[in-house]
Amino acid sequence: MSRDRWVDQGKLYLGVLFLQVGYAINGVIVKSALNKGLNPCTFSVYRNIAAVVVFGPFAYYFERNMRPKMTLSVFLKIMLLAQLEPVMDQILYYTGMKYTTATFAIAMCNIIPALTFFMAWIFRLEKVNIKKRHSQAKIIGTLVTVGGAMIMTLVNGVLIPLPWTHMSRVHPPVAPVALSYEDHRNMIKGAIMITIGCFFWAGFFILQAVTLKSYPAQLSLTSLICMMGALQGTVTTLVIERARRDIWSINWDAKLFATLYSGIVRSGASYYVSGLIMKIKGPFFVTAFNPFGMVMVVIMSSFTLGEQINVGRIVGAIIIVIGLYLIIWGKSKDPGLPDSRSNEVEMIDEETSPDKNQESDVVAGVIKEDRHVESPV
């Protein structure tokens, strides 16, 4: 493999690593803001507005000469994209997180790789041949990573003593407290909301990959999705919350910080980076690393909060790494996906080469005239 190929592949993996770091930090920040009274509906609206304000000018300037024409088909896809993730997924996911915990919400998101894989398979965005080893590796790797994430969530085991997790930095272990009926009901309600949100999120990745083929301007697409998401989210919030005016107030506090961070990093930057990656590797590759986010959360919590690590989390992390290796190996054996950048080149060539079209029309006219003159003879 040449040096340039290594550099290109390295950029892709740095991209998915950026996405997972952004998701992990976002979960912690937003959960803290939700505990302080942040409304999930207005949060969805404001974060999309923040993304439009930051990324809109860049899209206007850098893509002014390459932005395709807006067609009815593309417009409807953008409207549906805005409804899937910026509105429905965000409202359901963060409402479910409000009823549960950030760790539980992140753990539930580990079903997204499997959902995306099967959706991509159905819509022929992921090439799968059961008889080929690399396709078998992708299927097995997906199941292994999801299984490893579930082990990290459900299995505890013996605590591992680490020097930076001294007991003085954390609360001493206490006996588990039984959940009340209301808490148990909220957990079930939150789990259902997060699960439905994961279906919307997986569908968003699939439709984004399809839309990029006909509208390859990533910055413009990101800005349009967030703008439509803000408009649709406003209508949805007015329907759900009705005449509550207090939920629209913003102060200089943790809720504002969560909104700005989530809008700039989790919405704008994530949509843009995931679009760049899926144009080359497909939507499944973007979501395949989601279980790795749980590993990062556990590590960050251990160093920053002094939370202790148990055997279950170590075993789950090892299983996730094995599953990711199988997925990466399987994807490396895939034939290259058609890059939508070729569509951009063709479109530019057609726009900048009118003389060639005129020449061909003139030549065709001359031939027709010659045939017309010779025919009576």
Side-chain angles (χ1 to χ4, degrees):
M1 185 181 290
S2 63
R3 182 176 180 275
D4 293 339
R5 181 81 181 276
W6 276 106
V7 172
D8 292 339
Q9 292 293 321
K11 290 179 181 178
L12 296 176
Y13 290 107
L14 285 176
V16 292
L17 182 63
F18 164 79
L19 292 176
Q20 295 309 316
V21 172
Y23 294 161
I25 297 175
N26 179 76
V28 177
I29 294 175
V30 175
K31 176 58 180 175
S32 174
L34 289 171
N35 292 339
K36 296 178 181 179
L38 178 66
N39 184 279
C41 295
T42 53
F43 168 69
S44 171
V45 175
Y46 285 140
R47 69 178 263 182
N48 285 299
I49 293 176
V52 173
V53 171
V54 173
F55 286 88
F58 291 99
Y60 177 79
Y61 179 78
F62 289 107
E63 295 181 345
R64 62 187 184 279
N65 296 325
M66 61 165 288
R67 191 180 300 111
K69 292 182 179 180
M70 179 62 65
T71 63
L72 178 61
S73 174
V74 172
F75 177 75
L76 292 177
K77 289 176 183 175
I78 292 174
M79 292 290 288
L80 183 55
L81 282 168
Q83 187 67 29
L84 286 175
E85 210 285 322
V87 179
M88 298 305 299
D89 171 54
Q90 290 181 19
I91 291 177
L92 288 169
Y93 178 80
Y94 291 112
T95 304
M97 181 186 287
K98 191 173 184 178
Y99 285 127
T100 57
T101 64
T103 304
F104 182 83
I106 294 171
M108 290 294 294
C109 286
N110 291 310
I111 66 173
I112 292 178
L115 295 175
T116 307
F117 178 78
F118 289 111
M119 287 184 182
W121 188 0
I122 293 172
F123 290 99
R124 298 182 179 181
L125 297 174
E126 188 69 28
K127 297 180 179 179
V128 179
N129 187 348
I130 302 297
K131 297 180 180 179
K132 300 293 184 180
R133 287 188 177 180
H134 69 276
S135 294
Q136 296 172 0
K138 289 189 292 185
I139 296 174
I140 296 173
T142 302
L143 298 176
V144 170
T145 51
V146 174
M150 293 299 102
I151 289 176
M152 288 187 68
T153 307
L154 301 175
V155 178
N156 292 321
V158 181
L159 294 176
I160 299 176
L162 297 173
W164 58 85
T165 59
H166 194 267
M167 291 300 294
S168 61
R169 297 180 57 192
V170 294
H171 297 289
V174 295
V177 179
L179 293 176
S180 64
Y181 173 77
E182 189 65 26
D183 291 337
H184 184 69
R185 183 180 177 182
N186 288 337
M187 287 290 292
I188 296 176
K189 187 188 301 183
I192 293 174
M193 289 183 175
I194 294 171
T195 302
I196 298 174
C198 288
F199 276 91
F200 283 120
W201 197 359
F204 172 84
F205 283 118
I206 299 300
L207 185 57
Q208 184 183 15
V210 173
T211 307
L212 281 170
K213 293 181 179 180
S214 55
Y215 199 87
Q218 295 100 318
L219 277 173
S220 299
L221 182 61
T222 297
S223 301
L224 289 171
I225 290 173
C226 293
M227 183 175 67
M228 292 297 103
L231 293 175
Q232 295 181 28
T234 301
V235 175
T236 304
T237 302
L238 292 175
V239 172
I240 295 175
E241 300 293 348
R242 302 190 180 180
R244 290 185 58 189
R245 296 183 179 181
D246 57 306
I247 61 175
W248 296 96
S249 62
I250 298 180
N251 299 314
W252 294 93
D253 53 12
K255 293 184 286 186
L256 177 61
F257 176 73
T259 302
L260 294 177
Y261 175 87
S262 187
I264 297 171
V265 177
R266 174 61 181 79
S267 286
S270 295
Y271 293 168
Y272 176 69
V273 173
S274 63
L276 291 174
I277 298 172
M278 70 175 57
K279 285 176 69 176
I280 302 173
K281 286 288 190 179
F284 169 60
F285 184 83
V286 177
T287 61
F289 289 78
N290 273 28
F292 188 65
M294 274 205 67
V295 180
M296 299 175 63
V297 170
V298 170
I299 294 175
M300 287 191 297
S301 299
S302 174
F303 280 99
T304 59
L305 302 176
E307 294 183 1
Q308 294 190 344
I309 299 177
N310 54 49
V311 175
R313 292 185 174 182
I314 295 295
V315 173
I318 294 174
I319 294 175
I320 288 174
V321 172
I322 295 173
L324 288 176
Y325 175 79
L326 291 173
I327 293 172
I328 293 170
W329 181 84
K331 291 294 294 182
S332 67
K333 302 299 180 181
D334 276 348
L337 291 173
D339 193 345
S340 59
R341 284 174 292 184
S342 60
N343 297 334
E344 298 174 24
V345 176
E346 292 177 2
M347 182 176 60
I348 293 172
D349 288 342
E350 290 177 359
E351 293 176 355
T352 58
S353 310
D355 296 337
K356 292 182 180 179
N357 296 332
Q358 292 176 0
E359 277 184 24
S360 61
D361 293 340
V362 171
V363 172
V366 171
I367 293 174
K368 288 180 180 178
E369 289 178 2
D370 291 343
R371 290 178 179 175
H372 181 69
V373 171
E374 294 174 0
S375 58
V377 179

